[in-house]
């Protein structure tokens, strides 16, 4: 992509309203645009990052036999009345009434939709287990959305729901999804700072599990066990003085952001909708459920919180909008155009800064945008080009004809 063609431009202005690093950098870089508090547009660069995050999650959900669907955001009141959540979640629901008096909510989550949907296809134990997921915009009246894209009132979530004949089968699947979640965070480069965290389970199970990424921008407080890699959310710390996994009672306190949350729902939602199945002996039993959430736009912001310096973003290669930022600092564009053409022909994703602006502006924007590899072509470098990793301070000069080979070898 030529930067002269890019829809967005970077901006130097610090936004007074945005206090979080993720919002400042993503807005200034032209990744996102704020429409109003907690509501953002994903611009082309931001959309590409979220697409990469989404694809990683999709691959890992498919690997645990998830089947992808898309359920509606507009949901009828009746479904929510059936579970009692029209009243109990009233504070966070965006509700709508049409001219005919029908009422709806914009979905904050999808149990009320997925359970009656599953009921159409699950009759017997032979139809179980099954697991379906989607990527969807969720709507919640968050009272004080102040953490940039970390806490939206409209935000993207991956939500998966699993259906089982027995609690043992749910337990085994829950472990598989836990492992899949950890693989997602590893692929996103968050493995060293993300902790499987015991949190409250609600009425139906003792605990749920959150995936908490440690960052000063986090709104949650977790206690990380000194004996193992597990953590406990402060909301249940008083009732859980020992690590539920290894039994130790020494913890390190940290601020963290919840990037994922998985629950054993048991029969909480299958009962109100009468979602049952016939077992091998012909008996009718309620379906046992699990649910598994992960926030995509929250992950976008979290990655920026973890991976930035005073100059800008430092994208991990797996999610970067483009892998290479090609900067032409020469007066003419012959060499840079040739480099751009050969990188494109080789399938390397590249943003080409072909703008007629000063070298200082280009270098500053490259640091702000944070693409993993920077390639500079200038009069000074002669027949060489300068290659630099965004994550490293030092650059390296290489002959022009070795550029392609260097960039297609991992870690320059
Ligand atoms: P929080 O405690 O942060 O408000 P939650 O427990 O209400 O989140 P869940 O219902 O567990 O959230 O949602 C599943 C996932 O969706 C969360 O782990 C998080 O990654 C994401 N998420 C939840 N609320 C938001 C939000 N307002 N903005 C962006 N992502 C969110
Ligand atoms: Mg949660």
């Amino acid at each position: 992509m030529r930067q002269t063609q890019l829809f967005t431009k970077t901006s130097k202005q610090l936004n007074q309203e945005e206090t979080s690093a993720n919002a400042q950098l993503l807005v200034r870089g032209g990744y996102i645009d704020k429409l109003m508090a907690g509501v953002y547009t994903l611009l082309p660069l931001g959309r590409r990052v979220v697409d990469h995050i989404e694809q990683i999650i999709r691959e890992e959900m498919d690997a645990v036999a998830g089947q992808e669907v898309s359920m509606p955001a507009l949901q009828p009141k009746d479904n929510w009345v059936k579970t009692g959540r029209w009243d109990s979640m009233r504070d966070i629901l965006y509700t709508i009434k049409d001219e005919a008096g029908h009422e709806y909510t914009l979905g904050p989550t999808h149990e009320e939709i997925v359970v009656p949907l599953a009921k159409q296809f699950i009759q017997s134990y032979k139809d179980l287990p099954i697991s379906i997921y989607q990527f969807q915009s969720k709507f919640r009246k968050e009272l004080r959305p102040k953490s940039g894209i970390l806490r939206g009132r409209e935000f993207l979530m991956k939500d998966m729901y699993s259906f089982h004949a027995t609690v043992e089968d749910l337990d085994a699947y829950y472990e598989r999804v836990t492992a899949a979640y950890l693989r997602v965070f590893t692929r996103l480069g968050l493995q060293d700072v993300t902790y499987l965290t015991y949190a409250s389970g609600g009425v139906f199970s003792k605990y749920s599990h959150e995936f908490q990424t440690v960052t000063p921008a986090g709104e949650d407080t977790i206690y990380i066990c000194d004996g193992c890699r597990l953590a406990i959310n402060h909301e249940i710390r008083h009732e859980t003085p020992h690590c539920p996994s290894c039994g130790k009672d020494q913890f390190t306190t940290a601020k963290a952001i919840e990037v994922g949350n998985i629950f054993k729902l048991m029969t909480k939602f299958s009962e109100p909708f009468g979602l049952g199945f016939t077992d091998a002996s012909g008996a009718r039993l309620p379906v046992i459920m699990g649910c598994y959430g992960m926030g995509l736009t929250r992950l976008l912001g979290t990655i920026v919180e973890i991976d930035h310096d005073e100059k800008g973003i430092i994208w991990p290669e797996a999610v970067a909008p483009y892998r290479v930022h090609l900067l032409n600092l020469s007066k003419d564009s012959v060499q840079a155009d040739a480099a751009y053409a050969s990188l494109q022909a080789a399938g390397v994703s590249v943003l080409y800064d072909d703008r007629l602006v000063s070298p200082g502006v280009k270098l500053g924007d490259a640091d702000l945008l944070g693409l993993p590899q920077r390639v500079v072509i200038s009069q000074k470098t002669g027949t060489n080009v300068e290659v630099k990793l965004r994550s490293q301070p030092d650059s390296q000069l290489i002959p022009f004809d070795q550029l392609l080979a260097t960039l297609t070898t991992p870690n320059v």
Side-chain angles (χ1 to χ4, degrees), residues 7-11 15 18 20-36 38-50 147-150 156 296-298 300-301 304 313 315 369:
F7 174 50
T8 55
K9 296 182 174 66
T10 57
S11 129
N15 189 325
E18 299 283 15
S20 61
N22 74 83
Q24 286 288 355
L25 295 173
L26 288 168
V27 170
R28 281 182 48 215
Y31 284 90
I32 62 174
D33 178 69
K34 183 174 173 177
L35 176 64
M36 54 182 160
V39 183
Y40 291 86
T41 295
L42 285 179
L43 294 163
L45 293 173
R47 183 67 246 178
R48 286 178 73 93
V49 177
V50 171
S147 306
I149 205 153
L150 296 178
L156 286 173
L296 277 81
T297 38
R298 181 172 287 184
L300 169 71
V304 174
I313 303 169
W315 291 113
L369 291 179

Side-chain angles (χ1 to χ4, degrees), residues 72-260:
L74 188 62
Q75 307 179 355
K77 174 181 177 180
D78 281 358
N79 294 40
W80 286 83
V81 170
K82 268 212 179 91
T83 59
R85 295 209 288 185
W86 184 262
D87 289 327
S88 69
M89 283 179 70
R90 198 59 209 233
D91 289 352
I92 68 151
L93 296 183
Y94 281 104
T95 56
I96 298 162
K97 195 184 224 164
D98 70 13
E99 291 77 3
H102 300 304
E103 288 185 90
Y104 309 86
T105 187
L106 295 175
T109 176
H110 276 71
E111 284 84 359
E112 275 75 1
I113 308 308
V114 79
V115 175
L117 175 68
K119 199 177 166 185
Q120 297 183 47
F121 304 107
I122 297 172
Q123 277 95 36
S124 96
Y125 69 97
K126 291 181 189 155
D127 301 321
L128 297 170
I130 199 88
S131 185
I132 69 171
Y133 73 95
Q134 65 173 349
F135 298 98
Q136 242 283 358
S137 292
K138 304 288 194 223
F139 299 84
R140 295 182 184 181
K141 271 188 200 163
E142 299 280 0
L143 281 185
R144 285 178 301 278
K146 62 174 167 32
S147 306
I149 205 153
L150 296 178
R151 182 170 295 286
R153 292 191 289 157
E154 175 175 345
F155 59 96
L156 286 173
M157 196 202 287
K158 183 281 301 176
D159 44 330
M160 183 160 80
Y161 306 87
S162 69
F163 304 86
H164 309 267
T166 63
V167 174
E168 294 71 38
D169 195 56
L170 167 64
D171 288 347
Y173 190 69
Y174 191 86
E175 293 302 318
R176 284 177 67 198
V177 178
T178 303
Y181 266 51
L182 294 174
R183 283 197 298 275
V184 169
F185 300 124
T186 299
R187 292 178 66 180
L188 296 176
L190 297 174
Q191 70 277 10
D192 295 339
V193 282
T194 303
Y195 293 84
L196 181 62
T197 305
Y198 283 78
S200 62
V203 190
F204 278 69
S205 51
K206 190 165 179 204
Y207 300 118
S208 74
H209 289 92
E210 294 171 343
F211 295 81
Q212 292 273 2
T213 302
V214 170
T215 155
E219 292 179 3
D220 286 1
T221 302
I222 61 165
Y223 298 91
I224 303 165
C225 174
D226 289 349
C228 63
R229 264 194 65 85
L230 286 166
I232 301 174
N233 192 309
H234 93 284
E235 68 182 18
I236 60 158
R237 178 69 176 105
H238 53 283
E239 55 197 77
T240 315
H242 297 276
C243 172
S245 177
C246 74
K248 291 234 168 68
D249 59 2
Q250 298 285 312
F251 297 91
T252 305
T253 308
K255 282 278 178 207
I257 181 90
E258 178 198 315
V259 287

Side-chain angles (χ1 to χ4, degrees), residues 1-10 28-31 43-46 48 321-322 325 340 350-355 365 369 371:
M1 165 63 83
R2 284 177 179 268
Q3 224 165 313
T4 47
Q5 312 272 299
L6 191 64
F7 174 50
T8 55
K9 296 182 174 66
T10 57
R28 281 182 48 215
Y31 284 90
L43 294 163
L45 293 173
R48 286 178 73 93
Y322 294 92
H325 204 167
Y340 180 53
V350 44
L351 181 65
Y352 172 22
D353 195 345
D354 59 340
R355 296 174 302 167
D365 279 354
L369 291 179
L371 308 189

Side-chain angles (χ1 to χ4, degrees), residues 1 61 65 96 122 234 244 247 275 295 331 333 341 348 356 375 408:
M1 165 63 83
M61 295 306 107
I96 298 162
I122 297 172
H234 93 284
L275 170 62
K331 287 211 178 61
S333 63
V348 176
L356 294 172
V375 174
T408 44

